[in-house]
Amino acid sequence: MPENTPRTAPSARTVGFDLDMTLIDSRPGIKATYEVLSAETGVHIDAELVVSRLGPPLEQELAHWFPDDRIREAGDRYREIYPAHAIAPTLAMPGARAAVRAVQEAGGKAIVVTAKHEPNAKLHLEHLGIEPDAVIGWLWAEAKAEALREHGATVYVGDHVGDVRGARTANALSVAVPTGPCDAAELRAAGADVVLTDLNEFPAWLADYRD
């Protein structure tokens, strides 16, 4: 190899991250948004129950509260009011910024692949100063494999069994954190290759990981 040819570090890779309850704790903001939606529509929504099971797409959750012919309208309104009520209360999960930086500092790319409405996902990341190389929204579970394959991700980090399924569908290593609705046993049973306590452990794990 010529001396001036760039060399890729052995640890350089593309790593995908889920958003809700992996990189961000969006429960306070989502709860507030559902409470506003409930007040506007007059439909009872148990917002505490909603935030206890984050992960699946919005329409899947709305189907628990609205008849089929109102789900689209309710979803559009939810996304419309979301920025005003959900961005400010949302916090970064412990270790989130350092996890993304660890990938980038190793010469790799960090991407976010989420079921969330993509513009709102970007608002969260900008507000919290988390700077991935790409953000891809509107993908859930196995569908996340589309973006993971497109970007050449070999690792996907998430908190939900749906994230594990997405990683496995993409033939990526599934790294799971039990910081959302799924505990460590559920994540392992779903096929997670690695289960960390939280993202604080991710930089050290990444430094030791070899494909």
Side-chain angles (χ1 to χ4, degrees), residues 21-144:
M21 303 312 300
T22 299
L23 290 176
I24 66 172
D25 185 350
S26 52
R27 289 174 296 184
I30 289 175
K31 181 175 181 289
T33 307
Y34 270 103
E35 288 172 343
V36 172
L37 183 66
S38 178
E40 284 190 0
T41 60
V43 173
H44 169 70
I45 300 173
D46 186 341
E48 289 285 359
L49 178 59
V50 169
V51 299
S52 74
R53 58 190 184 197
L54 296 181
L58 172 64
E59 283 75 13
Q60 192 169 317
E61 179 60 47
L62 291 174
H64 292 291
W65 312 105
F66 291 86
D68 289 348
D69 62 352
R70 294 190 64 188
I71 289 174
R72 181 172 181 177
E73 177 188 2
D76 288 346
R77 182 56 180 158
Y78 175 94
R79 294 184 178 105
E80 183 179 4
I81 63 177
Y82 188 95
H85 300 281
I87 303 303
T90 294
L91 302 175
M93 294 294 285
R97 295 182 185 87
V100 170
R101 285 198 304 267
V103 175
Q104 295 165 333
E105 289 171 358
K109 292 183 178 180
I111 65 172
V112 172
V113 183
T114 174
K116 189 179 287 297
H117 183 54
E118 189 174 301
N120 288 340
K122 290 178 177 178
L123 287 175
H124 276 302
L125 294 164
E126 291 166 5
H127 178 73
L128 293 170
I130 300 173
E131 300 179 342
D133 296 281
V135 180
I136 306 96
W138 303 300
L139 296 175
W140 161 241
E142 288 83 355
K144 292 188 174 190

Side-chain angles (χ1 to χ4, degrees), residues 182-200:
C182 303
D183 63 24
E186 289 178 272
L187 294 165
R188 291 191 184 96
D193 298 293
V194 178
V195 179
L196 305 176
T197 302
D198 59 29
L199 289 181
N200 283 319

Side-chain angles (χ1 to χ4, degrees), residues 115-182:
K116 189 179 287 297
H117 183 54
E118 189 174 301
N120 288 340
K122 290 178 177 178
L123 287 175
H124 276 302
L125 294 164
E126 291 166 5
H127 178 73
L128 293 170
I130 300 173
E131 300 179 342
D133 296 281
V135 180
I136 306 96
W138 303 300
L139 296 175
W140 161 241
E142 288 83 355
K144 292 188 174 190
E146 300 169 17
L148 296 174
R149 290 194 191 105
E150 180 182 349
H151 289 266
T154 57
V155 176
Y156 185 59
V157 185
D159 67 282
H160 197 283
V161 293
D163 300 323
V164 177
R165 299 201 307 269
R168 295 182 69 82
T169 302
N171 293 318
L173 191 84
S174 172
V175 177
V177 285
T179 50
C182 303

